[in-house]
Amino acid sequence: WTGAKRGDFPGSLDFTEPTGVAIGNQVMVLIRPIYSPTMWQCWSPYSGATWDAAARTTFPGYAQSLVRTHSGAIVCAHRYPHYSVNVSRDDGLNWDEGTVIDYPVWAMGCLVEVEPDVVLCAYMNANRKEPLLAQLIQVTPVGLKPVTRQADRKSPGQ
C-alpha cells in the first residue's frame, strides 16, 4: 500500500511459508501460494538484504521443502499434485515437469542431502498415528531415480 509504514498492513496471503536455498551470496526462495495456481519465487543477490520482485513458477505446490545438491541442482518436494518433486538445474530459473513420488492424502516434508546428489525425502502421513514416510532419491542429469539399499549393506566401521 502506497504511503503505509512497514508493519501497518497485513501483507499478502499469497506469500506464506517461504523456503530458500543459498547459491553463493544469492538466495532463491519458493513461496507457498494461497490463491495462486502456481508457487511463487524470488531471488536476493545480496544474501537476503534486498529482494527482486516475486514471479510465478511453472508448477503448483504447497508445504514445500528445498535442498541444493552437491551438483548444484535445486530440489523441491511438495504436496500437490500428490507428493511431487521438481528439479531446477539452473539456480531456479527453469524447472522440470515434476515427478510424483507418492500418493499420501496429506503430506509435509523435509529434504536432506545424505550423499552427493542423493536426497532423503521424509514426509508425514495424514494421521499422526501413522508412521513417517521416507524415500531416498538420486538426482541424475536425466531425472530422479529411486535409491534401493540392500538389507545386508555394511554400516560404517564393519
Side-chain angles (χ1 to χ4, degrees):
W1 286 261
T2 304
K5 293 179 185 174
R6 184 181 179 102
D8 285 351
F9 53 91
S12 171
L13 287 177
D14 252 356
F15 282 57
T16 62
E17 299 179 8
T19 311
V21 294
I23 308 163
N25 287 334
Q26 179 172 277
V27 180
M28 192 281 299
V29 171
L30 284 175
I31 305 162
R32 174 188 180 233
I34 299 292
Y35 301 110
S36 173
T38 63
M39 297 185 78
W40 290 79
Q41 70 185 106
C42 56
W43 289 264
S44 169
Y46 306 109
S47 303
T50 60
W51 293 88
D52 68 355
R56 289 182 178 166
T57 64
T58 56
F59 61 94
Y62 300 97
Q64 75 278 5
S65 179
L66 284 176
V67 70
R68 188 164 185 253
T69 68
H70 180 77
S71 68
I74 299 174
V75 181
C76 176
H78 55 89
R79 179 176 70 240
Y80 188 74
H82 307 293
Y83 202 70
S84 298
V85 175
N86 289 82
V87 179
S88 172
R89 290 177 176 78
D90 59 3
D91 297 336
L93 295 175
N94 296 285
W95 295 89
D96 70 5
E97 68 282 355
T99 303
V100 173
I101 64 166
D102 203 349
Y103 298 89
V105 175
W106 186 263
M108 296 176 87
C110 186
L111 295 172
V112 177
E113 186 176 33
V114 294
E115 296 175 11
D117 297 311
V118 175
V119 175
L120 172 64
C121 180
Y123 47 103
M124 62 179 261
N125 261 310
N127 186 332
R128 285 187 283 167
K129 295 178 183 178
E130 298 294 323
L132 183 69
L133 302 169
Q135 297 186 44
L136 284 173
I137 301 167
Q138 184 174 6
V139 181
T140 74
V142 294
L144 303 177
K145 177 180 165 187
V147 176
T148 57
R149 303 285 186 195
Q150 296 196 3
D152 61 350
R153 181 177 175 186
K154 291 183 179 181
S155 63
Q158 285 188 326

